[in-house]
Amino acid sequence: MKLIIAIVQDEDTSRLVNALMKEGFSVTKLATTGGFLRAGNTTLLLGVEDEKIRAAMGIIERVCKSRKQMATAPTTMPGMSGSYGAGSYPVEVTVGGATVFVLTVDQFVKL
Ligand code: 2BA
């Protein structure tokens, strides 16, 4: 068994969870925040049998389309500490898509 950790954009979450559950995958949804943009995103946990990994990845790839958009990234001026010097700057980032980790599961038990 593998554990898929998929970080996706909030906009894609509902469609992705629906698509995964329709195909019989169990999903746990966590509200998370990206370190760079400090904006909300969603992390999904899926425990998946090895032979179904390809199907799960296919659904994630199909639903989570990436697109470019301008965003405001927070920054801190060098040499300043705390909130002093904190500012923000516009950046073009690719959002959507998915950042996916696949981990081997040593043990899976429901107690
Ligand atoms: P964020 O850290 O908020 O990053 C959002 C997007 O901003 C990134 O999309 C990337 O396009 C851009 N970005 C990130 N760091 C940057 C930098 N130093 N300079 C310029 N642009 C930068 P993704 O790469 O698709 O990542 C989407 C979200 O997935 C991330 O949100 C973060 O929450 C998570 N993530 C990505 N890589 C990760 C990793 N190696 N470990 C843990 N979480 C990761």
Side-chain angles (χ1 to χ4, degrees), residues 7 9 33-39 41 89 92-96 98-99 101:
I7 304 166
Q9 295 302 304
T33 303
F36 183 65
L37 295 178
R38 314 279 166 91
N41 53 27
Y89 62 100
E92 185 183 70
V93 293
T94 301
V95 298
T99 300
F101 301 87

Side-chain angles (χ1 to χ4, degrees), residues 31-49:
T32 47
T33 303
F36 183 65
L37 295 178
R38 314 279 166 91
N41 53 27
T42 300
T43 299
L44 300 181
L45 305 180
L46 294 85
V48 177
E49 297 301 334

Side-chain angles (χ1 to χ4, degrees), residues 86-109:
S88 60
Y89 62 100
V91 286
E92 185 183 70
V93 293
T94 301
V95 298
T99 300
V100 182
F101 301 87
V102 181
L103 289 68
T104 299
V105 173
D106 283 342
Q107 202 177 8
F108 171 62
V109 283

